[in-house]
Amino acid sequence: MLIQSLHSRLNKVASPYVRMPAIFRMNPKTFPKPPPAVPLALETWLDQVDRSEVGREPFFRGRDAEFDIFRRACGSLHAGRVGGGTMIFQGAPGAGKSALMQECMEAVRRHSTPATPWVAVSMNPHSLRSPVDVIEAMVESANTETGRLREMVSGKPVIGMLDDLLGFGKKFYRELSECGFGAFGLSLGRHHGKDLTARQFFQKAAPFLEKFRIVICVDEAQNTPVSSTTKEVMDCLHRDPQGIPLVVAFFGLSNTQDILRQCDLSRFADERVLNLEPLLKDDAALAIRSVFDAYGLMGKTEDQAAWVECLTELSQGWPQHINRVSVTAARVIRDHNGCIGKDLLGLALEHGRERKNAYYSGRLAAGSRPPWVYREMALTAMEKDGVLSYDDLRQFSTGSRPENFLANALHAGLLAPLKDLPYHYCIPIPSLGDYLQALPVEIPPQD
């Protein structure tokens, strides 16, 4: 049969993947954080109005604990443990989820070699309801990685091995794209994919994809569609990928875990779900200092130290704010002939506060209730040492279900779940709480 013939030919390809005994575990030296990305030209960087969602963040710093979770999950995959290693990195808007994802994907690419090929797959959450789309993304990324490795090597045996693998991969992808597994003798078009289960789709793709170690990264994962087919795909990705060595990392807003639970993902490995909090002060200061160093914003040592310290304090360690106050400060310095004297620091801080408030205004606009509701919510949080229970939130959900109010507040970044206390929440950034408390609005009079 055609399916057996193709599987046989695939298995004859000298696999560049070498199975490693389970005792060989990864450590930080074998799967390190990648070095920082090369900064953009100053004027290009200054023209950005927000953190870039394309490519790596050049001043990404910190997140060592988060990356260690990612590294250990990849270490388990490296050791042959497949299934159950799903990771979730969630947080309010501006917590640096997309930037962290780009660093993780870069680490995978740097770890990949012809002898042990690894593949980083960036996947749209809406693809998760279609097994064909998921496998197509994996195959396309595997082909791209095989081609990249092919350009890196010079030995004829290795080149021949990679050429054979790439040839099969390209044929696989072409036929999958054109007729949805027609290459496997199923005579099945894409639009009839419902005739096969997600498990069967994964089984058919395994003879090719098992040649790689695959790390799937899903950004904006809070937008994952909840459907029966999504649940089937999730079961394959999380529990049993049918022989495909893979692990999945979801990056999304603070309600991502709740959405994935609705997709029947409930049993996560220990320490694989993380809420992104502000950076440590030293890491925030390092990020801002890196901006000064990269663009030669030099002056007196004590002046630069004062700028870094004040901007770090203003950012409160929030990645979005680190970017905004850094860009604002660099613009002030540029507009004053590169001067970083203390007399300009006040102007930079003033503009930085304006940009922070503009960010908070956008978060407030995403809320489902009038501004006075969030002012009262912030005042209540202040009275309760910053912690709001689910019952506390009921009083602010007049006119809507409490769970809908909560979901919107999490999605808008006005609330974040507490790490160690279920059904309790906080305002994720102290200065956001200050902003909400100071809103010039009052509770409307009751009729």
Side-chain angles (χ1 to χ4, degrees):
M1 294 176 64
L2 178 58
I3 183 172
Q4 293 174 330
S5 174
L6 182 55
H7 286 194
S8 176
R9 292 178 63 195
L10 277 171
N11 289 330
K12 289 180 180 179
V13 175
S15 174
Y17 170 67
V18 179
R19 293 186 181 275
M20 300 293 291
I23 60 172
F24 291 103
R25 300 282 182 169
M26 283 187 174
N27 58 61
K29 293 183 179 179
T30 58
F31 205 95
K33 286 178 66 176
V38 177
L40 302 170
L42 176 60
E43 291 302 323
T44 301
W45 181 71
L46 291 180
D47 284 343
Q48 292 186 151
V49 296
D50 214 328
R51 289 173 63 84
S52 174
E53 294 184 356
V54 179
R56 297 173 62 201
E57 164 62 42
F59 304 111
F60 180 92
R61 300 294 186 272
R63 297 299 188 208
D64 291 339
E66 291 83 351
F67 185 82
D68 191 59
I69 289 174
F70 180 81
R71 180 191 61 77
R72 284 187 280 127
C74 291
S76 294
L77 183 61
H78 175 83
R81 297 182 63 86
V82 180
T86 300
M87 298 162 277
I88 299 177
F89 300 95
Q90 61 183 14
K97 302 175 294 295
S98 297
L100 175 62
M101 187 186 86
Q102 291 294 335
E103 294 305 299
C104 291
M105 293 184 67
E106 179 66 15
V108 171
R109 284 188 285 265
R110 286 176 174 270
H111 188 74
S112 180
T113 67
T116 54
W118 286 68
V119 180
V121 184
S122 176
M123 193 167 294
N124 185 297
H126 296 286
S127 299
L128 296 173
R129 61 182 157 197
S130 166
V132 175
D133 288 347
V134 169
I135 291 169
E136 191 172 77
M138 286 192 281
V139 172
E140 181 179 25
S141 297
N143 288 340
T144 299
E145 178 60 17
T146 305
R148 187 185 75 86
L149 294 173
R150 168 66 176 77
E151 297 299 319
M152 292 172 52
V153 299
S154 57
K156 289 185 179 180
V158 178
I159 289 177
M161 175 181 65
L162 292 173
D163 281 344
D164 287 344
L165 187 61
L166 183 59
F168 281 121
K170 286 183 175 180
K171 180 180 179 182
F172 189 106
Y173 181 78
R174 182 174 60 253
E175 301 224 22
L176 173 61
S177 299
E178 291 175 354
C179 56
F181 283 112
F184 293 105
L186 299 175
S187 300
L188 182 67
R190 289 180 65 89
H191 299 294
H192 298 85
K194 62 183 179 181
D195 297 334
L196 290 182
T197 66
R199 178 176 297 182
Q200 289 172 313
F201 277 119
F202 275 69
Q203 288 172 346
K204 303 306 180 185
F208 173 66
L209 293 176
E210 69 181 4
K211 313 295 181 183
F212 306 88
R213 284 295 180 261
I214 299 171
V215 180
I216 297 174
C217 294
V218 182
D219 202 7
E220 302 295 338
Q222 75 280 352
N223 294 324
T224 300
V226 180
S227 69
S228 59
T229 54
T230 303
K231 293 176 181 179
E232 290 183 10
V233 171
M234 288 292 198
D235 185 63
C236 291
L237 293 175
H238 174 65
R239 189 184 62 82
D240 185 6
Q242 304 300 310
I244 302 173
L246 64 83
V247 67
V248 186
F250 292 96
F251 301 81
L253 295 177
S254 299
N255 60 334
T256 295
Q257 186 178 14
D258 291 337
I259 296 297
L260 296 181
R261 282 197 181 108
Q262 296 176 44
C263 297
D264 288 353
L265 263 66
S266 58
R267 298 182 61 184
F268 297 99
D270 189 31
E271 299 180 339
R272 293 290 170 84
V273 179
L274 196 66
N275 295 310
L276 297 185
E277 299 177 347
L279 296 182
L280 299 174
K281 184 175 181 180
D282 287 348
D283 290 331
L286 176 60
I288 293 173
R289 191 178 302 112
S290 298
V291 173
F292 279 73
D293 293 341
Y295 296 122
L297 306 178
M298 302 295 184
K300 293 181 180 179
T301 302
E302 60 270 22
D303 287 346
Q304 187 188 66
W307 279 67
V308 171
E309 180 178 359
C310 290
L311 292 171
T312 300
E313 189 70 25
L314 182 61
S315 76
Q316 296 184 309
W318 200 245
Q320 180 71 254
H321 291 339
I322 290 172
N323 175 265
R324 288 183 174 227
V325 302
S326 297
V327 168
T328 298
R331 285 175 177 172
V332 169
I333 294 169
R334 176 200 60 185
D335 294 343
H336 291 82
N337 301 315
C339 176
I340 65 168
K342 290 183 179 179
D343 55 327
L344 290 177
L345 178 55
L347 180 61
L349 294 176
E350 179 184 348
H351 290 336
R353 293 187 191 97
E354 291 173 354
R355 292 207 66 192
K356 282 180 61 176
N357 286 341
Y359 170 74
Y360 293 149
S361 177
R363 303 272 57 81
L364 183 63
S368 62
R369 304 289 291 140
W372 68 265
V373 173
Y374 300 103
R375 178 177 181 272
E376 293 303 308
M377 184 183 76
L379 291 171
T380 302
M382 180 180 64
E383 295 171 357
K384 295 177 174 288
D385 295 326
V387 178
L388 293 167
S389 70
Y390 184 80
D391 286 339
D392 291 330
L393 297 176
R394 290 179 182 274
Q395 62 181 301
F396 308 117
S397 60
T398 304
S400 65
R401 296 166 61 102
E403 57 267 31
N404 293 340
F405 172 80
L406 173 60
N408 172 262
L410 292 171
H411 197 278
L414 298 169
L415 285 177
L418 289 184
K419 178 173 61 176
D420 300 319
L421 192 59
Y423 300 105
H424 286 74
Y425 308 88
C426 67
I427 296 173
I429 317 172
S431 55
L432 171 58
D434 296 339
Y435 172 85
L436 294 175
Q437 292 170 30
L439 286 172
V441 293
E442 300 293 340
I443 300 176
Q446 300 296 319
D447 294 334

